[in-house]
Amino acid sequence: MSAKFSIELNSFHKISAIPNAWSRSQYLTLMTLMELDDGLEELTDADLKDMCLMSLSDLPHADAANVVLTSLFSDDVTAGKIDQLSHEMADDRLWEEYSDCQFHERFFNAYGLLRNAFNGTFAQPTGVDFTITVHAKNAVDLEQLDSDLAANLVRLLSCGLDENGLMHRLYEEQLNGDDFPQASGILWQIETLASEPLERQFKMISSSFWFGVLENYDSFDAILTPQS
């Protein structure tokens, strides 16, 4: 039997960068790819970041994009494809448009870094950081979320989206079926803030492309059908 929930929007913020998306080790990798990695050990994290941004900005836009994409995708994408994407980045919005949504968060982080390095030029990434409380009528219904948290949260959130919108058109089968592997590429980060017998609170980060419309909601009803 389907479980009914009430989804309460507690907070909603538009973001153009994810906090701590780039670590010291990642900046060092970028510097290595630019062959500028000598004598960096004594630099503070802030100075290393500044040097990395300055070094990227000294390169042509496509070359800088190639460095960043290589650091993020070299295990998953061929060098030839990375080169192609590097030349497309300034004109496209790959954190929304790339065919494999599992790559979207990494593209979002790439755009944020490159836009910072070049003080513009690249499109400003549009993300959302929001908090919801999921209210259930009984604890058993709430426990259904645990079978696949990302997938089930996307299914619940989709109840607040236009049924003729892109989410439903692209993922109708997954929203109503058993498997939804793309969910982790749609909801980039999920943090459970509170857990009570009849409610749970989650903080999530995603693309405005998927969930920007939720800014207009205070609450909405949602249904989750148990998966076989």
Side-chain angles (χ1 to χ4, degrees), residues 211-223:
F211 298 118
V213 68
L214 295 182
E215 182 181 19
N216 302 316
Y217 285 84
D218 294 321
S219 64
F220 57 90
D221 294 328
I223 294 176

Side-chain angles (χ1 to χ4, degrees), residues 63-101:
D63 290 350
N66 192 296
V67 168
V68 174
L69 295 186
T70 297
S71 77
L72 292 171
F73 293 110
S74 61
D75 291 338
D76 302 299
V77 180
T78 66
K81 182 64 174 179
I82 286 175
D83 186 62
Q84 175 191 335
L85 293 170
S86 300
H87 286 85
E88 295 175 355
M89 280 192 71
D91 298 318
D92 293 342
R93 299 164 64 90
L94 296 176
W95 75 93
E96 297 177 350
E97 299 170 358
Y98 194 73
S99 58
D100 188 344
C101 68

